[in-house]
Amino acid sequence: MINIIKAVIFDLDGTLLDRDQSVIQFIDNQYQRYHERLNHIPKDTYIRRFIELDARGYVSKEKVYQTLVKEFKITNLTCEALLQDYRTQFKHHCMPFPNLHSVLEGLHNKNLRLGLISNGKGQFQMDNIEVLGIKEYFDTILISEWEGMKKPDPKIFQKALHQFNVQSNKSLFVGDHPEKDIQGAQNIGMISVWKRDDYWKNTKAEYIIENLQDLLSVLEELNKG
């Protein structure tokens, strides 16, 4: 069978990396490590407030920690120290979604070009990719800080496709965010695959998957054509 689809490009957070669970593990561990300085705050309160302020990663951590220090009257630990702790320690709590490696291995074995496009800080995101053990699967990795552009800017999608020398309608983009991932990919003619996240509603993608394993069925269906 000749593959109609030539490339599959992924988002990272919420698609390959289970960011919600990773954040919970990290912030729980941060509280425990700094317990002597944070013990005036109930652990559940600290964790819950961090998650609220973080807004699923769409608020800068600098602002998150500035607010935490102010609200909880943390006087013996600076927001800068907490921020640096986040930057260096989060990678140790990265959790993949189920079937991550087997799916990437399956796609690799189909001779597909694989890419990853992530909004975020360059080294921070690359550290997370390396900890997940998936860097070697990708022919290109584009991270917004290093690229000087971010999703849904069409140029960042187009850069990956140009590197692959693949037409947009011969490629899939897999992501969880309705605007940054799905609409951004659709705007340049890519086939979009939404990895369902109940946080978002009414996401209009060509395909919807519940888990990464479902992606193999999507490819099989497309390549039948």
Side-chain angles (χ1 to χ4, degrees):
M1 180 188 295
I2 298 175
N3 286 346
I4 294 171
I5 301 302
K6 305 294 185 184
V8 181
I9 303 175
F10 293 89
D11 165 57
L12 178 63
D13 293 340
T15 302
L16 305 180
L17 170 70
D18 187 340
R19 188 181 183 278
D20 289 347
Q21 289 304 311
S22 300
V23 165
I24 290 169
Q25 285 211 13
F26 162 75
I27 199 63
D28 183 288
N29 185 265
Q30 182 178 68
Y31 180 89
Q32 293 179 50
R33 284 184 288 108
Y34 288 106
H35 179 255
E36 290 184 2
R37 306 188 205 183
L38 299 173
N39 60 11
H40 64 291
I41 312 162
K43 183 172 78 167
D44 289 349
T45 302
Y46 183 78
I47 292 172
R48 182 175 64 251
R49 189 58 177 141
F50 179 93
I51 291 170
E52 289 172 352
L53 293 168
D54 177 63
R56 308 192 98 209
Y58 294 107
V59 173
S60 75
K61 297 309 158 295
E62 183 176 15
K63 185 173 182 180
V64 169
Y65 281 119
Q66 285 174 346
T67 304
L68 286 175
V69 166
K70 182 178 180 180
E71 284 188 2
F72 291 136
K73 297 181 172 57
I74 301 170
T75 58
N76 54 359
L77 194 59
T78 66
C79 63
E80 290 79 9
L82 289 165
L83 177 61
Q84 184 61 21
D85 182 74
Y86 173 82
R87 288 171 174 164
T88 59
Q89 296 299 313
F90 182 86
K91 62 187 176 187
H92 300 303
H93 304 279
C94 287
M95 296 183 62
F97 279 109
N99 306 309
L100 173 60
H101 284 265
S102 62
V103 168
L104 291 178
E105 188 70 26
L107 297 175
H108 180 75
N109 290 340
K110 293 179 185 296
N111 296 316
L112 292 160
R113 306 298 300 277
L114 300 182
L116 192 156
I117 302 176
S118 176
N119 288 352
K121 299 292 186 182
Q123 194 57 55
F124 181 85
Q125 294 294 67
M126 188 60 75
D127 286 346
N128 296 342
I129 292 164
E130 289 178 346
V131 166
L132 289 173
I134 58 175
K135 183 179 178 182
E136 65 273 14
Y137 288 110
F138 295 106
D139 301 293
T140 189
I141 296 174
L142 304 178
I143 303 174
S144 63
E145 181 187 35
W146 288 344
E147 299 303 321
M149 51 187 167
K150 61 184 180 179
K151 299 175 295 181
D153 187 334
K155 292 193 291 293
I156 198 165
F157 296 94
Q158 290 164 342
K159 180 172 182 176
L161 294 177
H162 179 73
Q163 289 178 350
F164 289 164
N165 193 26
V166 170
Q167 295 174 303
S168 59
N169 63 353
K170 307 278 187 194
S171 64
L172 299 184
F173 191 87
V174 186
D176 68 301
H177 195 286
E179 178 189 355
K180 294 177 173 60
D181 295 326
I182 302 307
Q183 189 175 332
Q186 289 173 334
N187 286 345
I188 67 159
M190 295 180 74
I191 300 168
S192 65
V193 180
W194 181 47
K195 186 174 180 299
R196 187 190 298 278
D197 183 331
D198 290 338
Y199 183 82
W200 309 109
K201 307 298 180 186
N202 302 319
T203 301
K204 296 178 180 178
E206 282 78 17
Y207 293 89
I208 297 173
I209 60 174
E210 300 293 335
N211 56 65
L212 291 171
Q213 191 71 34
D214 295 339
L215 185 59
L216 300 178
S217 300
V218 170
L219 276 166
E220 191 174 325
E221 179 181 335
L222 283 165
N223 285 329
K224 281 179 181 176

